[in-house]
C-alpha cells in the first residue's frame, strides 16, 4: 500500500476537457514539462521486450544517442497491415543500424502508398512508444492557435506534428527489440491474450 501511495504522490493527472484530437490531448501535459522531453506510451498497447532492456528504456536510449531529436519506436509489419498504423520511412544509420533517420510519416496509408513507404522491402509502423520534444509541442501549439482562428475546427493531429519534425531532420525511429501488442482492435486484443498465454 505504501509503495502505491508513494507512487501516487508523483503522478499528475491531466484531463482533456474537449475532444479535439490526439495531438490536443498530448499538448495538455506541456505545462508540467518545463521544456523537457517526455516519454509517451499509448494506452492501447502492451509492450514486451525480447532483451534485458525494457521497450521504454530502448526508446529513451535512442533519444540519448540521437542528439536530442524526437523518437518514435518502430516495428516491422506486413505491408497489408499498414492501413492500421502510422508508417515511417527513412534511412537506417550505418553506425547504429537500429536507428532510422525519418524523412516521412503517414497515418494509416492505403496499401499502395504503404508500398511506397517501404525501407529495404519492409514496412515500419509505429510501435507505440515515443520521446516527444519541445519542438513537437511547439508545432502542436501552432496547430491549436490556427484552429482557434478557423470557423471550422479540425482535430489537432499528432502525426502532422511528428511529420513536421521529420521534415526538419529532427525525428528518428528506433527498431525496438520487442513486441507491442495492439489491444485497440478486437482481433489484435484476442491475439494478445493468445501470445501471453504461451
Amino acid at each position: 500500500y505504501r509503495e502505491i501511495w508513494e507512487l501516487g504522490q508523483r503522478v499528475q493527472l491531466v484531463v482533456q476537457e474537449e475532444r479535439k484530437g490526439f495531438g490536443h490531448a498530448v499538448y495538455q501535459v506541456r505545462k508540467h514539462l518545463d521544456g523537457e522531453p517526455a516519454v509517451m506510451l499509448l494506452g492501447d498497447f502492451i509492450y514486451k521486450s525480447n532483451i534485458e532492456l525494457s521497450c521504454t528504456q530502448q526508446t529513451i536510449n535512442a533519444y540519448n544517442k540521437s542528439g536530442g531529436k524526437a523518437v518514435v519506436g518502430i516495428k516491422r509489419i506486413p505491408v497489408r497491415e499498414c492501413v492500421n498504423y502510422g508508417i515511417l520511412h527513412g534511412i537506417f544509420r550505418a553506425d547504429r543500424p537500429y536507428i532510422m533517420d525519418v524523412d516521412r510519416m503517414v497515418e494509416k496509408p492505403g496499401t499502395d502508398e504503404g508500398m511506397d513507404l517501404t525501407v529495404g522491402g519492409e514496412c515500419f509502423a509505429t510501435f507505440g512508444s515515443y520521446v516527444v520534444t519541445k519542438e513537437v509541442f511547439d508545432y502542436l501549439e501552432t496547430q491549436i492557435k490556427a484552429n482557434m482562428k478557423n470557423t471550422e475546427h479540425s482535430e489537432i493531429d499528432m502525426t502532422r506534428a511528428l511529420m513536421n519534425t521529420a521534415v526538419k531532420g529532427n525525428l528518428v525511429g528506433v527498431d525496438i527489440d520487442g513486441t507491442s501488442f495492439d489491444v485497440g482492435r478486437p482481433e489484435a486484443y484476442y491475439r494478445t491474450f493468445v501470445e501471453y498465454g504461451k
Side-chain angles (χ1 to χ4, degrees):
Y1 170 81
R2 183 178 296 123
E3 287 178 9
I4 293 171
W5 183 85
E6 287 173 355
L7 178 63
Q9 301 310 299
R10 299 193 299 271
V11 172
Q12 296 182 37
L13 181 66
V14 180
V15 177
Q16 182 189 25
E17 301 288 349
E18 305 167 88
R19 294 180 63 182
K20 291 186 176 179
F22 178 37
H24 182 265
V26 171
Y27 184 79
Q28 303 309 300
V29 304
R30 181 176 192 164
K31 62 185 175 184
H32 297 287
L33 298 177
D34 197 27
E36 292 294 314
V39 172
M40 179 174 74
L41 303 173
L42 302 185
D44 56 353
F45 280 83
I46 296 174
Y47 310 96
K48 185 177 183 183
S49 180
N50 295 330
I51 59 175
E52 191 174 314
L53 289 176
S54 70
C55 299
T56 303
Q57 190 60 59
Q58 292 177 57
T59 308
I60 293 169
N61 287 355
Y63 169 78
N64 291 334
K65 292 170 182 170
S66 75
K69 296 181 179 183
V71 178
V72 178
I74 56 176
K75 62 181 176 181
R76 291 170 172 82
I77 62 163
V79 175
R80 68 180 180 277
E81 292 184 18
C82 69
V83 296
N84 298 315
Y85 299 96
I87 304 300
L88 294 93
H89 179 273
I91 299 170
F92 281 99
R93 296 181 179 181
D95 60 333
R96 293 191 172 98
Y98 53 91
I99 293 183
M100 173 196 287
D101 289 307
V102 179
D103 56 30
R104 278 190 292 164
M105 182 174 179
V106 179
E107 185 65 27
K108 298 179 181 175
T111 307
D112 290 343
E113 189 177 8
M115 284 296 296
D116 292 339
L117 294 167
T118 57
V119 178
E122 295 186 291
C123 199
F124 290 89
T126 52
F127 187 84
S129 62
Y130 306 78
V131 174
V132 185
T133 58
K134 182 180 182 297
E135 183 176 0
V136 176
F137 283 104
D138 287 346
Y139 189 79
L140 289 172
E141 184 173 335
T142 300
Q143 280 191 69
I144 290 167
K145 286 180 178 175
N147 203 24
M148 288 170 69
K149 293 177 183 175
N150 294 336
T151 53
E152 291 186 22
H153 297 299
S154 58
E155 290 192 345
I156 306 305
D157 188 357
M158 189 68 191
T159 301
R160 241 170 78 195
L162 291 168
M163 182 60 207
N164 179 72
T165 308
V167 166
K168 295 177 179 175
N170 292 325
L171 180 68
V172 299
V174 57
D175 189 3
I176 301 290
D177 192 347
T179 306
S180 65
F181 296 95
D182 180 357
V183 294
R185 296 177 297 119
E187 65 277 11
Y189 191 56
Y190 171 76
R191 198 180 318 142
T192 301
F193 273 93
V194 171
E195 290 298 318
Y196 267 85
K198 293 177 183 177

